[in-house]
Amino acid sequence: MEKNKVKVLINGAEYTLVSAEPAEYVQRVAIRVDRKLSEIKSENPQLTNVMAAMLTAINFSDEYIKLEDSSNNLRKQVAAYAKNESKLSAALDERTLRVKELESQVQELKIELARISGKNTGTGYRK
């Protein structure tokens, strides 16, 4: 896979990042890191750059873990829904088959009723 060298600016310093991701994506990541770092430094001006960078990393790790947990939870929900859908689909197939059986029985009973009704009404002429 081809690697891209992308120059980014984070906290006023230029970095050259090498990534298989497109340059636009790498820039988006760098901008996000820069904004978070600036936010942390503005809220805590006494922090050194290293401390602010560490808090930025901790914040992103926290966000990542929460998103990962949420993603895993959603995967479990989707799997449960798929299992339930499969059960419901099987139940629907069974009921559809039962409806067809009952419709066939109704048709047979109509034929039998017509046959019996024909005997009772008589089909011959009376003199």
Side-chain angles (χ1 to χ4, degrees), residues 80-112:
Y81 291 146
K83 185 177 180 180
N84 191 40
E85 187 277 335
S86 181
K87 287 180 183 179
L88 290 172
S89 181
L92 177 61
D93 290 346
E94 288 176 20
R95 279 155 183 88
T96 300
L97 182 59
R98 181 67 180 139
V99 166
K100 288 180 181 179
E101 290 171 355
L102 290 172
E103 286 173 344
S104 178
Q105 287 178 3
V106 166
Q107 189 61 31
E108 290 172 10
L109 290 171
K110 284 180 179 179
I111 292 169
E112 180 66 18

Side-chain angles (χ1 to χ4, degrees), residues 39-120:
E39 176 186 315
I40 287 173
K41 286 179 72 175
S42 71
E43 291 173 0
N44 305 284
Q46 76 283 1
L47 293 178
T48 65
N49 283 339
V50 172
M51 292 170 72
M54 185 58 67
L55 283 176
T56 300
I58 291 168
N59 275 284
F60 279 127
S61 292
D62 174 57
E63 182 181 331
Y64 176 80
I65 290 169
K66 287 176 181 174
L67 289 171
E68 190 174 48
D69 289 347
S70 178
S71 176
N72 289 334
N73 184 43
L74 288 172
R75 281 188 192 95
K76 288 177 186 175
Q77 286 180 4
V78 167
Y81 291 146
K83 185 177 180 180
N84 191 40
E85 187 277 335
S86 181
K87 287 180 183 179
L88 290 172
S89 181
L92 177 61
D93 290 346
E94 288 176 20
R95 279 155 183 88
T96 300
L97 182 59
R98 181 67 180 139
V99 166
K100 288 180 181 179
E101 290 171 355
L102 290 172
E103 286 173 344
S104 178
Q105 287 178 3
V106 166
Q107 189 61 31
E108 290 172 10
L109 290 171
K110 284 180 179 179
I111 292 169
E112 180 66 18
L113 180 61
R115 188 182 59 75
I116 293 171
S117 295
K119 283 184 180 177
N120 290 339

